[in-house]
Amino acid sequence: MAYPKLQGIYSALLTSFNHDGTINEKGVRELVRYNIDVNKVDGLYVGGSTGENFMLGTQEKEEIFKIVKDEAKDQIKLIAQVGSLNIKESVHLAKFATDLGYDSLSAVTPFYYKFSFAEVKDYYNTIIENVDNQMIVYFIPFLTGVNISIEQFGELFANEKITGCKFTAGDFYLLERFRKAFPDKALFAGFDEMMLPATVLGVDGAIGSTFNVNGVRARQIFDFAREGKIKEALDVQHVTNDFITDVLKNGLYGTLKICLQEAGVDAGYCRKPMGDYSDEMIENAKKIYHKYF
């Protein structure tokens, strides 16, 4: 059994919500189109942290997976993040996304409770045992508290359906060790602000939330670094990190959505318990957009 290796620039897709918290289908479609037509990404990572996934019910997750696939068709690659503390939901969503034609699954490591590695491994194997699809491990220890060693990654990769990792960590030693140990596995950088050094260390691509707005620069950093044009890549990373710094100061997801609204995309609102946009936040976000784009 062989699955195609995924690579390139993937936006961690935002979700457009109406002010009452319901899914804004028109907005979700516009987000997909903007990523394809303007950012020119290779793929979308759907249902991750950036999509406010962990505040959604199962049917809402299904709805988003359906809308995105219907809009994107086969123009780009699609990864469905199906991880959940409710493993029955994860298994269900894995089958659902696979039936829709998603190119890969992904799942965040189980969090909150102090799961043993044996439990983490069983979680992944259980999600994919009855689906004909590949799995990208979503490794984000600063939010989950779950660390995985090189030896443990090796145990996960003993399952041929587990084909890669979304590496959202600042441990570049571990990243380098991963690349050397598993040269054939798909390795995606998950921190947009560290994309250049991750690319130099040999990642196959990057998955980022800011790519929804800043995807063109993300591509430039990736391509320059792979061509050995480090100064050119660093120049773009500097601008990118200035943008990221301003966005983080103003509120990550809301600012990205307001920036997209300035670009003509109905990116909508964030879902509670995330807060409403204040007038100051909206004004600052508009200034950020027009400063960098």
Side-chain angles (χ1 to χ4, degrees), residues 142-191:
F142 86 104
L143 287 181
T144 62
V146 178
N147 285 290
I148 302 176
S149 68
I150 293 298
E151 293 74 21
Q152 290 170 337
F153 272 117
E155 289 189 43
L156 293 175
F157 292 143
N159 186 328
E160 62 185 3
K161 291 183 178 180
I162 302 178
T163 59
C165 177
K166 179 177 185 277
F167 191 98
T168 309
D171 187 342
F172 284 103
Y173 175 57
L174 182 63
L175 178 67
E176 181 273 336
R177 293 287 84 189
F178 182 107
R179 180 74 296 167
K180 185 174 187 296
F182 311 112
D184 297 327
K185 298 300 180 183
L187 178 58
F188 285 94
F191 272 140

Side-chain angles (χ1 to χ4, degrees), residues 45-288:
Y45 187 88
V46 186
S49 309
T50 306
E52 300 170 58
N53 173 79
F54 304 112
M55 294 176 279
L56 301 179
T58 305
Q59 290 184 332
E60 292 172 315
K61 295 175 185 180
E62 291 175 355
E63 182 180 352
I64 290 167
F65 287 146
K66 285 172 64 178
I67 293 168
V68 173
K69 179 60 179 178
D70 183 66
E71 186 63 41
K73 302 293 193 293
D74 296 318
Q75 292 181 263
I76 54 173
K77 300 292 186 183
L78 296 177
I79 302 175
Q81 197 292 124
V82 300
S84 169
L85 285 183
N86 181 344
I87 198 164
K88 289 185 178 181
E89 179 188 53
S90 292
V91 169
H92 170 78
L93 291 174
K95 294 177 181 177
F96 185 85
T98 298
D99 288 344
L100 284 175
Y102 274 67
D103 300 280
S104 178
L105 305 171
S106 183
V108 67
T109 50
F111 52 89
Y112 188 80
Y113 300 101
K114 300 293 184 181
F115 295 103
S116 68
F117 175 70
E119 291 168 331
V120 171
K121 182 168 68 171
D122 182 67
Y123 162 88
Y124 284 109
N125 290 335
T126 299
I127 291 172
I128 60 172
E129 64 183 351
N130 292 315
V131 293
D132 183 14
N133 209 339
Q134 60 185 320
M135 167 66 71
I136 303 292
V137 174
Y138 183 9
F139 177 63
I140 184 166
F142 86 104
L143 287 181
T144 62
V146 178
N147 285 290
I148 302 176
S149 68
I150 293 298
E151 293 74 21
Q152 290 170 337
F153 272 117
E155 289 189 43
L156 293 175
F157 292 143
N159 186 328
E160 62 185 3
K161 291 183 178 180
I162 302 178
T163 59
C165 177
K166 179 177 185 277
F167 191 98
T168 309
D171 187 342
F172 284 103
Y173 175 57
L174 182 63
L175 178 67
E176 181 273 336
R177 293 287 84 189
F178 182 107
R179 180 74 296 167
K180 185 174 187 296
F182 311 112
D184 297 327
K185 298 300 180 183
L187 178 58
F188 285 94
F191 272 140
D192 308 8
E193 62 271 32
M194 302 180 190
M195 189 175 164
L196 171 55
T199 306
V200 170
L201 287 172
V203 296
D204 298 293
I207 299 170
S209 56
T210 64
F211 299 174
N212 285 274
V213 179
N214 197 49
V216 172
R217 289 194 184 98
R219 169 79 65 193
Q220 290 171 344
I221 294 167
F222 187 64
D223 288 348
F224 278 142
R226 284 163 67 97
E227 294 165 7
K229 298 177 179 177
I230 303 304
K231 182 185 183 304
E232 292 88 340
L234 185 57
D235 287 343
V236 183
Q237 186 76 72
H238 284 325
V239 177
T240 290
N241 285 7
D242 288 343
F243 168 66
I244 291 171
T245 298
D246 288 348
V247 167
L248 291 175
K249 285 180 181 177
N250 199 50
L252 176 58
Y253 301 130
T255 302
L256 292 177
K257 290 182 180 184
I258 297 165
C259 284
L260 285 162
Q261 289 169 4
E262 284 295 287
V265 178
D266 185 9
Y269 299 88
C270 294
R271 191 163 197 181
K272 290 186 181 300
M274 291 189 183
D276 288 336
Y277 308 154
S278 67
D279 291 341
E280 181 183 12
M281 180 183 184
I282 294 170
E283 182 181 353
N284 288 339
K286 289 179 177 181
K287 289 179 180 177
I288 290 168

